[in-house]
Amino acid sequence: MRTLNAAVNTFDKRSHINREIYGHFSEHLGRCIYDGIFVGENSPIQNTNGVRNDIIEAFRQIKMPVLRWPGGCFADEYHWRDGIGEKAGRKKMVNTHWGGVTEDNSFGTNEFFNMCEVIGCEPYLCGNVGSGTVEELADWIEYITFDGISPMADLRRKNGREKPWKLKYLGIGNENWGCGGNMRPEYYADLYRRFQTYCRNFSGNELYKIAGGPNVDDYHWTDVLMSIINDSHAKAISLHYYTIPSGDFWNKGSATKFSDEEYYKTIAQALRIDRLIEKHSAIMKKYSDNMKLVVDEWGCWFNVEEGTNPGFLFQQNTMRDAIVAAVSLNIFNQRSDIVSMANLAQAVNVLQCLVMTEGDKLLKTPTYHVFDMFSTHQDAELLYSYTDNTETNGIPAVSQSVSMDKDGKITMTFANASLGEDFEVDCAIVGTAPKKAEARILTGDVRAFNDFTSPEKLVPTEHKADITDKGVKFTLPKCSVVSILLS
Ligand code: AHR
């Protein structure tokens, strides 16, 4: 087995890893909300105000910091007033983007905000710019956050909620270059300035406004948007990037049946996010030193599973997804000077999900376990780290990031993307010498996945990591993700 030298410097703190980098996304799409998160108050499935208790528990375990809602493309056709008040009286609509199904609006603003309180995560609202009005969005903010006497606050009280909720993260539109209105950046940027003007900070609530940024490598969008908006209009702009093995949106490939070559292409595509962040942030820095990037949709996007509704975007989740999750999160950590938030698409039953449900059963995907293993990076300081890397099939085999929390505990997360080679990592630690190492590993066949007959095929197990004179030593088997907590 080859030994790779690695190094960490605990004196060299690079940037703060916002816990929101470990954020998630829930859209009215397929079985994410209905028959997923929300089963209704009268369901025989254990629930709190209609939200599955096992989902609440699973989200709490990974310390879910933030959840984006209601879309996605759905957000730009969502009219919030349809989703408040007596359920029987709520207006129905057609979910034109996702399967043409009837949306009965039984999960709306009160349900979402109450759920976030129960989970203990920040809500991240995506406002309707594409088909909505400035007044509609302004009223929504007033409904949610205003403490005094006002038409919207009174309406909230009438609907059973006396105190306002807290709302920090507000996206103004979604993919307005595409499903959110097919706009040109000049037009959207002006519209953004107008919409955001009327999104007020009520009752001590302070909005962190996010402008709709580029798709993948649309640097023109970033340049134009940044030239029209400034720090007083937005704290961040978004970036959407999905990992598609072929890079071809119309022929994405299967989630479970793929060749080794396709696997390596997938990892190469996932690694691309690093360059995208670098290039978009270089453009942003021409205009602002403060504005951040919010990668509010990322993850693997494959063909839907056979026999499922093509509009529901249901795909399986293998060890390949776990490697993609690990390399992506390591990149976001390494880029935490500019990336203030990231949201995996999506939380339940859609795309690269965290959990899947079937009746009263719930399973955790390999991707979920990666979030669990990485959770101690949240709100820690990124440390300088280095691995003497090696190439495999045109990509770097090893990805890593290391951070130190406020109590001095160090989290190291590594992924070995190679399907053929195990490594030993001999890591020197400059600075604070650790006394104890607790390690976990997630590994298995790259095509293996958890399903309802075998829900725990891929789960993290204990791993051996030895404290040495100079730091820590451990093995990094092929196709594995390893996390080490040093204290
Ligand atoms: O996550 C699925 C869809 O992908 C979202 O609705 C949209 O924003 C993106 O194109």
Side-chain angles (χ1 to χ4, degrees), residues 368-389:
Y368 176 94
H369 295 303
V370 171
F371 273 83
D372 191 26
M373 292 165 74
F374 278 55
S375 66
T376 43
H377 280 304
Q378 292 189 27
D379 276 336
E381 304 303 314
L382 177 75
L383 298 179
Y384 168 81
S385 66
Y386 162 84
T387 306
D388 199 6
N389 216 333

Side-chain angles (χ1 to χ4, degrees), residues 25 27 29 72-73 98 174-175 240 242 297 301 346 351:
F25 172 32
E27 180 166 7
L29 190 178
C73 295
W98 307 119
N174 170 73
E175 297 194 352
H240 286 185
Y242 285 95
E297 289 188 28
W301 195 330
Q346 297 194 7
L351 297 177

Side-chain angles (χ1 to χ4, degrees), residues 25 27-29 68 70-76 97-98 174-175 177 179-180 215 240 242 249 296-298 301 313 344-346 350-351:
F25 172 32
E27 180 166 7
H28 287 237
L29 190 178
R68 180 172 182 247
C73 295
F74 181 78
D76 278 293
H97 286 292
W98 307 119
N174 170 73
E175 297 194 352
W177 36 260
C179 65
N215 187 30
H240 286 185
Y242 285 95
F249 190 80
D296 57 15
E297 289 188 28
W298 70 272
W301 195 330
L313 310 187
L344 176 76
Q346 297 194 7
V350 169
L351 297 177

